[in-house]
Amino acid sequence: MADNDRLKGKQVAIIATDGFEQSELESPRRALDDAGARTVVVSPKTGEITGWSEKNWGNAVTVDLPLEHAHAEDFDALLIPGGVMSPDSLRLEPRAVEFVRHFFETGKPVAAICHGPWLLVEAGVLRGRLVTSWPSLRVDIENAGGEWTDREVVTDEGLVTSRKPADLPAFNAKMLEEFAEGVHHPQLADTSTHRTRRDDRRRGEIQPGA
């Protein structure tokens, strides 16, 4: 299958609001579009949301679907861009938290970068999972039962995470790979499985990202 067809027929939700990191939405979205996916920006806001680029407000992005009208079951995968403001606002939105949780309950792949994993903490889906993020989230992730590591990209059973914009090439590549594979083992069905995998990693029996 050609690279521009590898995600043909798949619909990917991008959940964000004002203050998302510009590059962490635009770069993965471009990669997804180029691979044939249909990307849909979902937000609690309507109209447009504005990104954050380095030390200033960035570009506006059109909201394709208001969160109140979004149904997670209509999507094949989920992208959560970082930026401090967007994930911090979204984790206070019960609808956003439930929207995110659906992808784990149904085993659909999820990619989150930088501060994006804050939403995963709030959704209670990180127990036993190996993840990375912006370093300041480490304690939050560990308190939520996750195992944090400092790597440019981590893949764990359909969950892809990275730390910062510099990691985007590796993040995008793994995101496309996992999204193309589709549904993985239901991610909340048996958290004891994830705890066992985490213990095996610590003993060196399996490698991080396996």
Side-chain angles (χ1 to χ4, degrees):
M1 179 179 292
D3 285 345
N4 60 352
D5 288 334
R6 65 190 299 193
L7 294 184
K8 185 177 180 180
K10 291 186 181 292
Q11 184 160 257
V12 179
I14 304 173
I15 190 165
T17 191
D18 288 326
F20 64 87
E21 181 65 37
Q22 195 83 47
S23 62
E24 293 172 356
L25 188 153
E26 291 182 343
S27 175
R29 186 180 200 183
R30 186 163 52 248
L32 289 164
D33 289 342
D34 288 347
R38 178 174 181 262
T39 54
V40 179
V41 174
V42 176
S43 178
K45 294 193 66 178
T46 59
E48 294 182 334
I49 54 176
T50 305
W52 187 261
S53 181
E54 297 183 1
K55 297 182 180 180
N56 298 289
W57 288 102
N59 300 329
V61 170
T62 299
V63 174
D64 300 308
L65 183 63
L67 180 62
E68 64 177 324
H69 300 311
H71 301 286
E73 57 269 24
D74 293 337
F75 296 94
D76 300 291
L78 173 67
L79 168 64
I80 309 174
V84 177
M85 289 177 277
S86 176
D88 195 33
S89 296
L90 289 172
R91 63 180 177 156
L92 298 178
E93 293 275 353
R95 282 182 182 268
V97 175
E98 286 301 317
F99 187 83
V100 169
R101 188 177 291 123
H102 164 87
F103 290 85
F104 288 82
E105 291 173 341
T106 55
K108 297 176 183 178
V110 174
I113 186 169
C114 195
H115 289 78
W118 253 343
L119 258 178
L120 308 184
V121 170
E122 195 69 31
V125 296
L126 290 184
R127 183 166 299 279
R129 309 306 296 271
L130 181 67
V131 296
T132 193
S133 68
W134 188 254
S136 63
L137 274 64
R138 176 175 183 168
V139 173
D140 288 343
I141 288 169
E142 291 177 341
N143 286 342
E147 181 179 357
W148 189 89
T149 185
D150 184 13
R151 296 173 55 203
E152 67 174 358
V153 64
V154 172
T155 306
D156 188 340
E157 296 184 13
L159 173 61
V160 180
T161 51
S162 283
R163 305 166 300 182
K164 55 190 176 182
D167 298 336
L168 279 167
F171 178 75
N172 290 348
K174 280 296 184 182
M175 172 188 66
L176 295 181
E177 182 181 319
E178 295 301 303
F179 286 12
E181 289 180 6
V183 172
H184 290 65
H185 179 75
Q187 300 191 65
L188 283 182
D190 183 5
T191 56
S192 65
T193 299
H194 303 309
R195 285 195 295 271
T196 299
R197 287 174 57 82
R198 181 178 61 188
D199 292 342
D200 288 345
R201 278 193 293 263
R202 286 174 173 168
R203 290 194 296 267
E205 294 174 17
I206 59 175
Q207 295 300 311

